[in-house]
Amino acid sequence: MKVTVFSGSHKGREGNTLIMVEEFLKGAEEAGAETENIVLTEKNIKYCRGKFECWLKTPGRCTIHDDMDDLLPKFMASDIVVFACPVYFDNIPSVMKNFVERLAPVLLPQFEEDEKGEYRHAKRYEKYPKLVVISNAGLPGQTNFEVESLFFRRLARTFHTELIAEIYRGEGEIFRGQKNIMLKPLIGKYKKTAQICR
């Protein structure tokens, strides 16, 4: 089982989401999975130009050459892909959105009707990775994740796969208090919830 995390926080390795990711990966590794965490801010990923050359000129391959040349095969070679990012302005941050848009080559340009009578792009490949979402928000409450959750549910549909887990936690700033002895038990409990694979 290959589990690949694409971490899309603007803060890179300094973000609260990464703490959740590390705990999730502990659980996945204990369950025997091969894991990799790719921090998107450390990669050179240019913006999609929307010319659809990846469909029409070089089918299945983007004509922009950057780190997506390596990331696209990693995405498709995974059994499970984890999208990890915080909530920014009620949705996913631009770092993650940019990465998602550059996944366009894995689909075909033709439209097809799904079982609900909605339309989406047809599959280029027979099998796509299953999806998981890990996210945190500074604000308390689960309603902060409504837009993000809908986005990833629609994305799973677009990629002809399923969203198998969503881990959403508010008050992510609690991780900043890891050295506070009073908060240690609470943070430990918070981390355990991310180890769902165990």
Side-chain angles (χ1 to χ4, degrees), residues 172-188:
E173 287 301 304
I174 195 171
F175 287 127
R176 302 282 173 208
Q178 288 193 75
K179 292 181 182 168
N180 182 322
I181 196 160
M182 300 293 284
L183 291 176
K184 258 190 174 169
L186 181 60
I187 293 170

Side-chain angles (χ1 to χ4, degrees), residues 42-62:
E42 296 172 359
K43 302 297 179 184
N44 174 29
I45 305 173
K46 297 180 179 119
Y47 292 100
C48 176
R49 296 187 298 236
K51 293 184 176 181
F52 306 118
E53 293 173 320
C54 60
W55 288 337
L56 308 172
K57 186 176 179 183
T58 56
R61 290 182 298 109
C62 187

